[in-house]
Amino acid sequence: MSTIPAELRFAESHEWARQEGDLIVVGISDHAQEALGDVVFVELPEVGKVFAAAGDQAGVVESVKAASDIYSPVAGEVVEVNEALADGPEALNEAPYDSWIFKVKPANAADLGKLLDAAGYKALIGE
Amino acid sequence: MGQRTPLFDLHLALGAKLVDFGGWDMPLHYGSQVEEHHQVRRDCGIFDVSHMHVLDVSGSQAKPWLQHLLANDVGRLQQTGQALYSAMLDTHGGIVDDMIVYQTDEGYRLVVNAATGDKDLAWMNANLAGYDVRIKHRSELAMLAIQGPNARQKIGELVNQERTALIHTLRPFEGQQEGEWFIARTGYTGEDGLEIILPATEACAFFNDMVGAGISPIGLGARDTLRLEAGMNLYGQEIDEQVSPLTSNMAWTVAWMPEDRTFIGRAALEAERVRGITSKLVGLVLEERGVLRAHQVVRIAEVGEGEITSGSFSPTLSKSIALARVPMATADRAEVEIRGKWYPVRVVRPAFVRHGKALI
């Protein structure tokens, strides 16, 4: 099993979140990509989309097998999306912690702290 | 816990991620479904398909019974080894199952789907009265499919001389017994290849030999995208008891002649033909990014609506494809609703890839 980066925070729905200046960068965990299988398409949120609450639907990751919703780990507004995933969605499989999906300007900067830390996420997925 | 094939422990040892398929715990993939798909199209791979059921039919009236039971006519089989594909219908013309029938020295060998085995046997037994026929469920046998352009060459290097000779002389869609093994040049991928039915006790060793020779094990995930690219029906997706073969790209498997062959479902199909066939299976190609999925709605301007029966990403074509049941009139273009938005799709004949080559 791969190591879970200690600097990341996690939602129970398997997104990771990382502080970057005043933004929060979001991707999916290694555990999530492994469960999904080969990712072939990512439906990105639109820049400007507002998440009223943590857990709002933010996009869709489609593997060969199935479509899975992804959720924003925090409330806030989408300010940037990773357009490179359009041509290379497999990056989510190959380097899940280096492949971000969207960046959100959080409504409340303290919300990141409400997410699971690496140890908590590790316990959640039973590793 | 689901049912397990004799190779279950071996799949785990090879790192398989498991999936429930019709009550069986089967390998979904052993790492990457897309890589496994390419492996079969470009070289070859092995599938454990021991969850499928082998039924041997014998007795003095095996032939007339199967001519009554099946929509295709086993009377077309002239000698041991020849095979045909057929639907087994209910009295309404709905498809109870689809299968391959091989003529054997003792009678016929039927290979039916995994999830439908009990239902099939119940249906067969319910329609057995008055016929001198025996059905033997060969659950002691395993079944392996080796598929891909190099499949026969590579397997020929791993088996004894008699089997190698047979493998190189088999015609497409022919299956012959060789010792304890039944070797057929059939498959479900659109590639050349073999299906081998052998004693379960020998299956693990043979599977191991093949893996040892560098042939990749392939899961049901790639099996599904391979058969979808080949435009082949999957029972429970394209076909079931609610649809007839005439709306399922299977009209060619219905043997109307001789006219006095009163197979089960014939009257219903004839009535359907008189009323007019209302729908058909077509292929869809999504030109934009996205993935077509089963049950999405298909809209054809000035024609009507249909529904996707199977959809996925085609690794060979690098775009999404689907099979869909649409109104008979159809058109060259249609639209599919994905999460509330309508995407344009191209409507094509339902075969996307054969022998490694794109057909669309």
Side-chain angles (χ1 to χ4, degrees), chain A residues 34-38 40-41 43 46 57 60-69 85-88, chain B residues 17 28-29 31-35 221 225 289-293 296 311-313 315 338-339 341 343:
Chain A
E34 171 113 16
L36 283 166
D38 298 289
V40 293
F41 175 67
E43 189 174 280
E46 285 175 15
Q57 203 243 341
V60 180
V61 175
E62 299 227 31
S63 68
V64 182
K65 194 169 62 178
S68 300
D69 288 336
L85 292 175
D87 285 323
Chain B
K17 184 176 165 64
L28 177 65
H29 61 72
S32 166
Q33 177 176 335
V34 169
E35 280 310 307
T225 49
R289 292 192 170 101
V291 186
L292 302 170
R293 302 284 183 191
Q296 287 169 347
S312 190
F313 178 79
I338 304 175
R339 293 185 286 275
K341 278 174 65 183
Y343 290 76

Side-chain angles (χ1 to χ4, degrees), chain B residues 228-229 282-292 298 308 310-312 314 317-324 332-336 338 343-353 358-360:
Chain B
L228 178 61
E229 285 185 352
V282 295
L284 302 180
V285 181
L286 180 65
E287 302 290 0
E288 294 182 34
R289 292 192 170 101
V291 186
L292 302 170
V298 183
I308 290 180
S310 294
S312 190
S314 159
L317 303 172
S318 288
K319 57 181 71 166
S320 182
I321 59 171
L323 295 172
D332 293 340
R333 315 271 330 165
E335 290 175 295
V336 174
I338 304 175
Y343 290 76
V345 293
R346 204 146 57 85
V347 182
V348 299
R349 288 166 53 90
F352 306 90
V353 180
L359 301 179
I360 53 132

Side-chain angles (χ1 to χ4, degrees), chain A residues 29-116:
Chain A
S29 74
D30 187 46
H31 177 80
Q33 71 79 19
E34 171 113 16
L36 283 166
D38 298 289
V39 174
V40 293
F41 175 67
V42 183
E43 189 174 280
L44 299 164
E46 285 175 15
V47 171
K49 180 173 178 152
V50 174
F51 306 119
D56 279 7
Q57 203 243 341
V60 180
V61 175
E62 299 227 31
S63 68
V64 182
K65 194 169 62 178
S68 300
D69 288 336
I70 46 174
Y71 304 96
S72 180
V74 295
E77 182 182 341
V78 177
V79 294
E80 197 180 341
V81 296
N82 187 357
E83 300 284 359
L85 292 175
D87 285 323
E90 65 278 5
L92 295 183
N93 293 120
E94 289 159 1
Y97 295 122
D98 295 326
S99 307
W100 60 282
I101 299 174
F102 60 94
K103 297 181 183 180
V104 56
K105 186 170 171 52
N108 180 352
D111 282 354
L112 188 67
K114 295 178 185 169
L115 299 172
L116 296 169

